[in-house]
């Protein structure tokens, strides 16, 4: 007769059963889900901070560079932080500054469609933390944020690929040379915040897929969404990446620790009773609420992104104003460049423009088409198979759509800093490579670590070199000219830095050389004319301006220069002819409208001048010259009325 219960079994049988090994298929791996996430995450963060500080310690004393000057040093929003500035930065453009009294002023830059409140908020907080508006204070914050972005990438990759691969992913981000431009140029913080926001959201979303959506995770995901969107326009790639990761969330988890957790997971009712919410509706809220707030703030501040023809033929974006079909070969060529900078970022340049606009017959265009096509096909195939490597491909593809000039031409043709947010793609791809089983074979393992060591050494050397080049705008521009001595655009860029440093003789020499390289350029002759006008030789400027206008009859800035020169010489007829023509080309230009008001006043048409300035001030209340001119004309009219009314 069989035994009715285990307690009725003879002692020797119980002993024998307990001594038997557990069946292999029921044995759980030793690692838990928390160990897969990262066993000592704070220790990894500390190591990344130390590495980042070591790499960029010699950059702390570098000055503010390029756009750091207007955005930080000359911005009362940052230099004189106030409550009014904090409240209004959510509805102002990136190129607007807020005075202590709450008044908003344009900085005078052409690109007025940028909206980056989180970046400005971080600079505002930086100034509030003490230390004054010193470059090292802001650059130190960039170094720490860079380390945090690398750490967050590791936390995210750990949930897909395990601990060792995640550490390699973090190392790839913190060591990559493209970080030099986003750290040395403090305004590069926008790109660092985008990477931090994207990786923070994806890590939170992945944790919620494995452990459930709690309100705490929902709040964290919403915060990271706000950071990514509000830091820079490229943060919008969070939306397709979030959707793709949500799709991949049901994929079979390959790591044994995560498999064991999934296999042993309690039923949904038990999870809910334990305080974990499994439903994905909260994930939608975490994205939708910050997205709506961002859309509202952007519509109030700048409206929709736009693209217009760039007036500069040597330093402007040559893609602006081109048709979609003309932009396709350009985008294909840029795809090669951006992939190349991820794999081998040398040389690092500040000013990158092509010697000619890419066309279909260029080899780089054909290679770019093949590369993008292969990535799209591979990404789609991996997504259908629910392989997480699809996320790495999608991250690069969607980031490239933002900066690749295909969907909408952006102001910058190509820059190193634009590659930085793409590091998440490289990190996840590297994590998958490290995780593959064939990598663990001893021979390949040794060679792999040798390659990684060489890459790290190269990164350190490049960063050290770039930090020294970043000692000034002049040294950065000189480095560009050394790498591209035949680029007239690089020379023009160098001229601007020479002028800012008071090195006029060298600036003139560089300008003359640029005219020899690009004699058909309108910009080079205008720049040479403006140089002589600024240094007290207007008689030499006129002929150069006329040569610039002959090269490009639609150059508004040249017409404006000739018109104002004629006004200074009291040649009102010539001035009116040039300025009227400039108004036809650029009807919204405030300088053209102001100088036409000067022409009206010179001809005795004071009422017409007042009306013109009233229209200008209504359109551009921040244009100081227009406000001052209108006040002066109205005051003169009142004085004339008093004189006529006196006995």
């Amino acid at each position: 007769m069989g035994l009715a219960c285990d307690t009725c079994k003879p002692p020797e049988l119980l002993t024998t059963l307990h001594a038997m090994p557990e069946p292999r298929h029921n044995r759980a791996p030793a690692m838990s889900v928390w160990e897969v996430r990262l066993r000592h995450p704070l220790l990894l963060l500390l190591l990344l901070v130390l590495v980042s500080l070591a790499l960029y310690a010699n950059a702390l004393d570098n000055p503010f560079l390029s756009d750091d000057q207007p955005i930080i040093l000359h911005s009362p929003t940052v230099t004189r932080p106030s409550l009014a500035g904090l409240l209004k930065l959510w509805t102002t453009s990136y190129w607007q500054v807020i005075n202590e009294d709450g008044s908003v002023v344009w900085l005078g830059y052409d690109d007025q469609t940028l909206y980056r409140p989180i970046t400005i908020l971080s600079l505002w907080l930086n100034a509030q933390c003490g230390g004054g508006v010193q470059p090292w204070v802001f650059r130190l914050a960039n170094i720490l944020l860079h380390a945090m972005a690398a750490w967050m990438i590791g936390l995210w990759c750990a949930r897909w690929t395990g601990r060792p691969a995640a550490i390699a992913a973090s190392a790839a981000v913190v060591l990559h040379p493209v970080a030099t431009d986003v750290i040395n140029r403090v305004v590069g913080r926008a790109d660092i915040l985008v990477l931090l926001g994207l990786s923070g959201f994806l890590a939170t979303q992945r944790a919620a897929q494995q452990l459930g959506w709690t309100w705490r995770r929902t709040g964290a995901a919403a915060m990271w969404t706000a950071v990514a969107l509000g830091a820079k326009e490229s943060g919008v790639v969070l939306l397709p990446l979030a959707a793709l990761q949500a799709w991949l969330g049901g994929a079979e988890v390959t790591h044994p620790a995560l498999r064991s957790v999934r296999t042993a997971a309690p039923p949904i009712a038990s999870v809910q009773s334990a305080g974990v919410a499994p439903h994905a509706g909260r994930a939608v809220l975490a994205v939708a609420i910050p997205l709506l707030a961002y859309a509202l703030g952007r519509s109030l501040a700048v409206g929709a992104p736009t693209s217009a023809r760039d007036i500069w033929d040597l330093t402007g974006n040559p893609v602006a104003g081109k048709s979609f079909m003309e932009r396709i070969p350009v985008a294909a060529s840029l795809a090669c460049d951006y992939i190349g900078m991820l794999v081998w970022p040398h040389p690092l340049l500040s000013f990158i423009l092509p010697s000619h606009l890419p066309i279909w017959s260029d080899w780089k265009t054909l290679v770019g088409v093949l590369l993008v096509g292969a990535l799209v096909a591979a990404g789609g195939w991996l997504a259908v198979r629910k392989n997480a490597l699809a996320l790495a491909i999608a991250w690069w593809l969607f980031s490239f759509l933002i900066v690749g000039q295909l969907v909408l031409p952006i102001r910058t043709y190509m820059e190193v800093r634009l590659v930085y947010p793409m590091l998440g793609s490289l990190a996840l791809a590297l994590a998958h490579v490290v995780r593959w089983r064939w990598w663990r074979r001893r021979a390949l393992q040794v060679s792999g670590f040798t390659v990684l060591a060489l890459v790290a050494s190269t990164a350190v050397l490049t960063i050290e070199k770039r930090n020294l080049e970043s000692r000034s705008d002049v040294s950065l521009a000189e480095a560009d000219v050394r790498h591209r001595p035949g680029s007239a655009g690089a020379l023009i860029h160098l001229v601007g830095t020479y002028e800012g440093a008071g090195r006029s003789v060298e600036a003139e020499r560089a300008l003359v050389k640029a005219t020899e390289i690009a004699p058909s350029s309108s910009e080079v002759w205008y720049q040479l004319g403006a140089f002589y006008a600024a240094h007290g030789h207007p008689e030499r400027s006129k002929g150069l301006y006329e040569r610039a206008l002959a090269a490009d009859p639609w150059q508004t800035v040249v017409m404006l220069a000739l018109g104002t020169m004629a006004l200074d010489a009291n040649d009102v007829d010539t001035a009116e002819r040039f300025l009227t023509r400039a108004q036809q080309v650029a009807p919204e230009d405030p300088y053209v409208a102001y100088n036409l008001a000067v022409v009206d006043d010179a001809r005795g048409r004071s009422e017409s001048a007042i009306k013109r300035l009233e229209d200008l001030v209504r359109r551009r209340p921040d244009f100081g010259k227009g406000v001052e001119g209108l006040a002066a004309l109205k005051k003169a009219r009142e004085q004339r009325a008093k004189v006529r009314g006196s006995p």
Side-chain angles (χ1 to χ4, degrees):
M1 186 172 62
L3 298 173
C5 63
D6 287 343
T7 57
C8 302
K9 294 178 183 179
E12 64 273 15
L13 181 58
L14 287 174
T15 303
T16 303
L17 286 175
H18 285 184
M20 289 176 62
E22 184 181 356
R24 188 174 183 85
H25 62 274
N26 289 331
R27 201 183 289 173
M31 291 170 56
S32 70
V33 67
W34 302 106
E35 291 173 309
V36 171
R37 182 181 61 180
L38 272 179
R39 181 171 293 173
H40 302 294
L42 294 181
L43 178 59
L44 176 62
L45 176 59
L46 177 60
L47 290 174
L48 291 171
V49 167
L50 292 176
V51 170
S52 187
L53 285 171
L55 291 174
Y56 296 102
N58 65 334
L60 286 173
D61 291 332
N62 288 344
F64 286 123
L65 300 170
S66 57
D67 288 348
D68 295 347
Q69 301 280 342
I71 295 298
I72 299 173
L73 195 58
H74 301 154
S75 170
T77 313
V78 179
T79 57
R80 298 190 296 276
S82 62
L83 180 60
L86 177 61
L87 295 176
K88 284 199 170 184
L89 65 84
W90 306 101
T91 55
T92 55
S93 163
Y94 182 68
W95 289 113
Q96 286 178 318
V97 296
I98 307 166
N99 294 315
E100 291 176 281
D101 61 359
S103 58
V104 178
V105 180
W106 280 101
L107 288 172
Y109 284 70
D110 295 333
D111 196 345
Q112 299 173 357
T113 61
L114 300 182
Y115 178 64
R116 301 171 182 176
I118 296 297
T119 299
I120 300 300
L121 174 64
S122 75
L123 299 174
W124 187 91
L125 291 171
N126 222 150
Q128 290 280 55
C129 290
V133 186
Q134 300 295 326
W136 73 267
V137 176
F138 289 82
R139 195 163 286 115
L140 177 61
N142 278 21
I143 293 172
L144 297 177
L145 286 170
H146 171 57
M148 188 174 180
W151 179 64
M152 195 60 67
I153 285 285
L155 296 183
W156 174 54
C157 290
R159 291 197 172 275
W160 281 110
T161 61
R163 184 171 60 248
I167 294 173
S170 290
V173 174
V174 80
L175 288 172
H176 205 285
V178 299
T180 54
D181 271 30
V182 301
I183 288 178
N184 280 289
R185 301 173 193 268
V186 176
V187 293
R189 183 175 302 180
D191 298 282
I192 301 176
L193 289 172
V194 167
L195 182 61
L196 181 59
L198 291 176
S199 56
F201 175 86
L202 292 171
T204 304
Q205 182 190 33
R206 183 59 182 155
Q209 286 175 339
Q210 295 171 340
L211 303 172
W213 278 100
T214 63
W215 284 115
R216 181 179 177 181
R217 291 193 183 95
T218 304
M223 179 194 71
W224 292 123
T225 302
V227 169
L229 293 176
K232 195 176 180 180
E233 290 70 19
S234 54
V236 298
V237 301
L238 180 142
L239 305 178
L241 290 180
L244 179 58
Q245 184 162 256
W247 161 259
L248 297 173
E252 179 66 24
V253 182
T254 56
H255 197 283
L258 291 182
R259 266 205 311 269
S260 67
V261 170
R262 174 168 292 190
T263 304
I268 294 297
S270 301
V271 174
Q272 288 176 326
S273 63
V276 178
H279 30 270
R282 295 181 184 179
V284 176
L285 286 177
V287 175
I289 294 176
L291 179 61
L292 290 174
Y294 170 78
L296 178 61
R298 182 180 180 86
S299 65
L300 293 174
V302 297
T306 58
S307 176
R309 174 183 176 271
D310 202 308
I311 63 172
W312 305 120
D313 56 18
L314 291 178
T315 58
N317 184 357
V319 182
K322 299 293 183 181
S323 67
F324 178 76
M325 292 304 296
E326 291 175 302
R327 298 201 307 270
I328 293 178
V330 174
S333 178
L334 284 172
C336 288
D337 293 324
Y338 280 123
I339 292 175
M341 278 193 282
L342 275 178
V343 178
W344 184 252
H346 182 79
L348 294 171
L349 301 174
S350 300
F351 181 81
I352 306 175
L353 279 178
S355 56
H356 74 280
L357 204 62
I359 56 177
W360 282 107
S361 59
D362 292 343
W363 68 267
K364 192 181 286 187
T365 298
L366 300 177
V367 172
V369 169
L370 293 176
L371 284 174
V372 173
L375 288 174
V376 171
W381 181 76
L382 290 169
V384 170
R385 293 177 60 87
K386 292 196 171 182
N387 189 310
L389 192 56
L391 274 170
I393 297 175
W395 190 318
W396 186 89
L397 286 173
F398 286 118
S399 297
F400 177 71
L401 281 179
I402 302 296
V403 301
Q405 311 292 345
L406 188 62
V407 176
L408 182 73
I410 62 175
R411 184 167 181 81
T412 302
Y413 180 80
M414 182 174 66
E415 281 195 23
V416 174
R417 60 185 174 84
L418 300 181
V419 183
Y420 184 84
M422 299 179 182
L423 289 180
S425 171
L426 178 67
L428 185 59
L430 178 62
H432 275 78
V433 170
V434 172
R435 191 196 64 176
W436 288 341
R437 289 181 180 177
W438 59 263
W439 185 265
R440 298 184 186 130
R441 297 175 185 174
R442 187 167 300 277
L444 289 176
Q445 190 176 34
V446 172
S447 62
F449 280 113
T450 302
V451 171
L452 288 176
L454 289 174
V455 171
S457 301
T458 304
V460 172
L461 291 174
T462 305
I463 289 171
E464 288 295 311
K465 182 176 182 294
R466 193 61 172 172
N467 288 344
L468 296 179
E469 289 176 347
S470 300
R471 288 173 296 181
S472 68
D473 285 315
V474 171
S475 59
L476 279 172
E478 287 176 339
D480 289 349
V481 173
R482 281 197 303 272
H483 289 297
R484 303 180 68 191
S487 171
L491 283 168
I492 294 293
H493 187 238
L494 177 60
V495 167
T497 63
Y498 276 155
E499 284 283 83
R503 297 163 63 173
S504 300
V505 175
E506 293 165 288
E508 182 181 11
R509 190 181 303 125
L511 271 171
V512 171
K513 185 177 179 180
T515 61
E516 296 170 355
I517 295 174
S520 61
S521 165
S522 172
E523 181 180 358
V524 72
W525 295 114
Y526 168 76
Q527 294 288 359
L528 188 57
F531 174 84
Y532 288 130
H535 290 83
H537 302 289
E539 70 285 351
R540 303 178 67 177
S541 300
K542 184 178 179 182
L544 295 169
Y545 286 150
E546 290 172 345
R547 189 163 182 176
L549 197 60
D552 184 358
W554 303 102
Q555 274 280 26
T556 306
V557 67
V558 180
M559 300 177 208
L560 182 61
L562 288 168
T564 55
M565 185 176 287
L567 276 176
D568 293 338
N570 293 320
D571 187 354
V572 181
D573 291 337
T574 301
E576 187 170 18
R577 185 173 72 255
F578 279 119
L579 292 171
T580 301
R581 184 177 169 189
Q583 187 184 40
Q584 294 171 352
V585 177
E588 300 298 320
D589 192 300
Y591 294 95
V592 173
Y594 176 83
N595 283 289
L596 280 173
V598 174
V599 169
D600 288 337
D601 188 51
R603 290 190 180 281
R605 303 192 295 251
S606 58
E607 290 303 316
S608 176
I610 289 174
K611 183 178 179 181
R612 194 185 296 275
L613 289 180
E614 284 177 339
D615 178 64
L616 172 60
V617 171
R618 183 169 56 253
R619 288 187 293 109
R620 291 290 301 272
D622 58 308
F623 188 65
K625 277 284 188 181
V627 175
E628 295 170 6
L630 180 59
L633 287 178
K634 286 185 175 181
K635 184 177 181 180
R637 182 174 63 181
E638 292 173 0
Q639 290 176 346
R640 289 195 297 270
K642 289 181 181 178
V643 170
R644 287 195 298 268
S646 60

